Amino acid sequence: IVVIASAGVGIWAIINANQKPSSSQPPQPTNPTADEPTDEPSDEPIATNEEVEITDTYLLLDLDCKLAAVHFVSETGPTMYTSHGVHQEYALYQENPLSEAYKAMVTQNLLKNQFRVSTKEEVDSLVSRFPELSSYADNYSSYHDYIKVINADSFASGYRDIFGSELNLDVINSISSERSYCPKVLYEASTNLIFQLQGCGGTSPFESYYYKDRYTTDGENAYVYVYAMSIDYENQNIHCGVPASWGDTSLVCGTVTEGKEYTLNASNLENAGKYRFTFKKAADDTYYFEKVEKVSN
């Protein structure tokens, strides 16, 4: 019995040894079955940055509201119009990058319905920080309706929503030396308020029209294609786009008949300047303004 058992153990050891792979002989590859993955190239299409039309109603409305804010208008329809004012929106097409002064004014325009009339105590706090504004406190009963305020945190949130970055509140009070925008805003730290000071004025012979033609996305960015025409009623010149500066005539492409009302819509875009607005996707899936660039004459 002992001899038979010993022989059985020996045979098992030989069989087991033969089943173990040799360290000097790597395992041979086998042909994969239909259910096994392979490293061969796939016939599936590779994702591209191709632009597709935006159909999301909420995204379209958000883009329209932000385009209105950066153009200092309230219209969210296809055509935006700016009359004989100072045309603050021209800086949108002329500055790259946008100045903090412009961004502050855009944020104010975006949040204009959230500002409220200031109190006497709040105006006194403003004057203690900016003594040159003492007339606002001395004549509070006459001026208080023209001095409005908003919580600085709400203002910073609006800035972040439209420009995608954090607002340095201290910069608000250092932008007075930059290009003049109106209405002016100031930050007062002790009350944590942004003050809006009224007193805008100025005019120009220009009227400008902006028509939103297409809304597209490539997944990471949203794009809005905008056509622009500007009419100089001092000399009846039509500018096919936004002038690079006051007095610039490089975009003049015709004249308008005096007394004839002009507009820009889908039927007369052939000569208008074409621009592409880029809105970048944020971490929370919203989109913020990044830049505008001209894509044709």
Side-chain angles (χ1 to χ4, degrees):
I1 294 172
V2 171
V3 170
I4 294 172
S6 299
V9 170
I11 293 171
W12 174 85
I14 293 171
I15 294 173
N16 186 59
N18 289 336
Q19 290 177 340
K20 293 180 181 180
S22 171
S23 60
S24 61
Q25 295 293 327
Q28 298 299 311
T30 59
N31 293 327
T33 66
D35 296 331
E36 293 176 341
T38 72
D39 293 330
E40 294 297 319
S42 171
D43 292 332
E44 293 295 321
I46 299 174
T48 66
N49 291 327
E50 180 182 358
E51 295 179 32
V52 297
E53 297 293 327
I54 296 174
T55 58
D56 186 315
T57 302
Y58 295 102
L59 175 55
L60 291 172
L61 178 59
D62 184 53
L63 293 173
D64 279 338
C65 289
K66 288 172 180 174
L67 282 167
V70 297
H71 284 87
F72 294 90
V73 299
S74 58
E75 299 99 332
T76 56
T79 299
M80 298 177 290
Y81 165 72
T82 56
S83 186
H84 297 280
V86 293
H87 290 283
Q88 297 182 130
E89 85 277 7
Y90 282 7
L92 180 65
Y93 297 84
Q94 297 167 351
E95 294 181 357
N96 186 20
L98 290 176
S99 69
E100 287 301 317
Y102 188 83
K103 290 181 178 181
M105 296 305 99
V106 166
T107 305
Q108 180 276 331
N109 188 50
L110 181 72
L111 303 176
K112 59 186 176 184
N113 293 329
Q114 298 183 32
F115 279 78
R116 60 171 176 81
V117 174
S118 59
T119 66
K120 179 65 165 63
E121 291 73 18
E122 290 166 346
V123 173
D124 288 340
S125 297
L126 177 68
V127 171
S128 67
R129 172 68 177 81
F130 302 97
E132 66 272 18
L133 301 177
S134 59
S135 61
Y136 287 112
D138 296 340
N139 300 282
Y140 175 75
S141 60
S142 300
Y143 288 156
H144 75 284
D145 286 340
Y146 303 102
I147 307 174
K148 297 184 178 180
V149 295
I150 188 174
N151 180 273
D153 296 334
S154 297
F155 192 88
S157 178
Y159 179 98
R160 182 170 56 253
D161 181 46
I162 196 167
F163 293 114
S165 58
E166 297 300 324
L167 170 65
N168 180 353
L169 287 167
D170 293 331
V171 170
I172 294 292
N173 299 333
S174 65
I175 61 179
S176 59
S177 61
E178 298 185 29
R179 176 174 174 169
S180 177
Y181 294 103
C182 187
K184 186 176 183 179
V185 291
L186 291 171
Y187 171 58
E188 205 289 296
S190 68
T191 57
N192 195 38
L193 292 174
I194 298 289
F195 285 76
Q196 173 188 295
L197 308 182
Q198 300 292 341
C200 298
T203 186
S204 77
F206 279 84
E207 290 185 0
S208 293
Y209 301 82
Y210 307 92
Y211 182 80
K212 293 171 285 185
D213 181 52
R214 292 181 61 214
Y215 302 76
T216 65
T217 180
D218 60 10
E220 292 302 316
N221 301 300
Y223 305 101
V224 184
Y225 290 86
V226 176
Y227 288 86
M229 296 286 276
S230 300
I231 314 298
D232 182 352
Y233 281 100
E234 185 173 61
N235 50 37
Q236 309 305 119
N237 282 339
I238 299 175
H239 295 252
C240 291
V242 177
S245 61
W246 298 114
D248 172 50
T249 59
S250 62
L251 297 179
V252 171
C253 57
T255 58
V256 65
T257 303
E258 189 170 359
K260 181 180 179 181
E261 185 175 350
Y262 185 86
T263 189
L264 185 65
N265 54 44
S267 68
N268 60 347
L269 300 177
E270 60 275 4
N271 294 321
K274 186 178 181 181
Y275 301 83
R276 186 173 81 163
F277 283 74
T278 300
F279 293 83
K280 200 159 189 67
K281 192 173 186 179
D284 61 357
D285 290 336
T286 61
Y287 289 82
Y288 59 88
F289 173 84
E290 183 182 46
K291 63 181 178 178
V292 57
E293 55 192 336
K294 192 168 186 181
V295 293
S296 74
N297 290 327

